[in-house]
Amino acid sequence: GTEKEVRDPYVYYDTYTLDATATPTTLFNNASEKNLSLSNYPYQQLPNGQSFDVHGLRVSYECHALAADATQQLLMDYLRNVTLQIQIVNKVPSYERCVAALIGGQIHLVTAPAVTVNSRNLSVWGGNTVVKFKNRIFLDRQTPWFVKLQKDAANNAALTGDFLRVEMIGRLTIQV
């Protein structure tokens, strides 16, 4: 048909569960569905009849357990060692940046401090972490694309099981 349904803004999201490996992690390239709490993108490429005009992204981090004071520094060390790349297959990355610079205030954890008075509770960080692109990334139907997390080193075992979520924000057009 020639009719179109437009959703603007629309968010596709995918989540990496930290697993203590240094190998790159690929998101938005899912051969099967994940739990909806982890991803709403059950595809390996944009479906036929859809186009997605990406105008920004947000990255957030969620702990799976109480974090000791020392774990906070391990987290910051890890985020500094991960680079996010948005990649359309067979092209140079459309966007690339260190995750620590992207994440801003989107860290959610509750601390279990050794000394309560000295605790730095990262869950009170604030800030708008939507990174808006000057030039949009256009993904036409059946475009194979993904987000790659390049890691300089594996995460510390204390972070294994935590979640790093990437949200792609844009205009979704569906041919109906």
Side-chain angles (χ1 to χ4, degrees):
T2 57
E3 290 187 41
K4 296 178 183 178
E5 178 183 337
V6 176
R7 299 176 187 172
D8 188 9
Y10 190 79
V11 177
Y12 274 127
Y13 59 89
D14 205 354
T15 307
Y16 165 52
T17 305
L18 276 67
D19 57 7
T21 63
T23 55
T25 296
T26 301
L27 297 174
F28 299 98
N29 187 9
N30 300 315
S32 60
E33 287 190 35
K34 294 181 179 180
N35 288 337
L36 192 56
S37 62
L38 298 176
S39 180
N40 69 344
Y41 193 83
Y43 317 113
Q44 291 185 297
Q45 62 187 20
L46 207 61
N48 194 20
Q50 286 189 17
S51 62
F52 192 47
D53 193 10
V54 183
H55 56 74
L57 69 84
R58 179 187 356 234
V59 176
S60 60
Y61 188 95
E62 299 165 13
C63 277
H64 75 285
L66 288 176
D69 282 350
T71 306
Q72 295 178 42
Q73 187 58 51
L74 296 172
L75 167 61
M76 299 314 295
D77 293 343
Y78 174 71
L79 295 176
R80 274 194 303 274
N81 288 309
V82 178
T83 301
L84 179 144
Q85 298 174 326
I86 300 173
Q87 183 100 36
I88 297 172
V89 174
N90 298 323
K91 294 187 178 183
V92 297
S94 299
Y95 182 81
E96 183 174 72
R97 194 159 183 205
C98 172
V99 170
L102 284 172
I103 204 159
Q106 291 297 319
I107 295 180
H108 307 284
L109 79 155
V110 179
T111 59
V115 179
T116 305
V117 100
N118 292 327
S119 176
R120 298 166 312 280
N121 188 336
L122 296 179
S123 64
V124 300
W125 283 13
N128 181 357
T129 59
V130 174
V131 176
K132 294 182 179 178
F133 300 147
K134 184 175 182 178
N135 297 314
R136 295 177 182 209
I137 301 170
F138 183 70
L139 302 171
D140 201 2
R141 61 180 174 256
Q142 296 184 307
T143 299
W145 69 285
F146 54 88
V147 169
K148 183 179 283 186
L149 300 174
Q150 296 278 45
K151 299 170 252 175
D152 294 344
N155 60 272
N156 183 281
L159 304 177
T160 298
D162 287 358
F163 304 98
L164 186 68
R165 180 185 313 273
V166 177
E167 299 175 3
M168 305 300 290
I169 303 165
R171 176 186 170 105
L172 178 66
T173 303
I174 303 168
Q175 197 78 31
V176 289

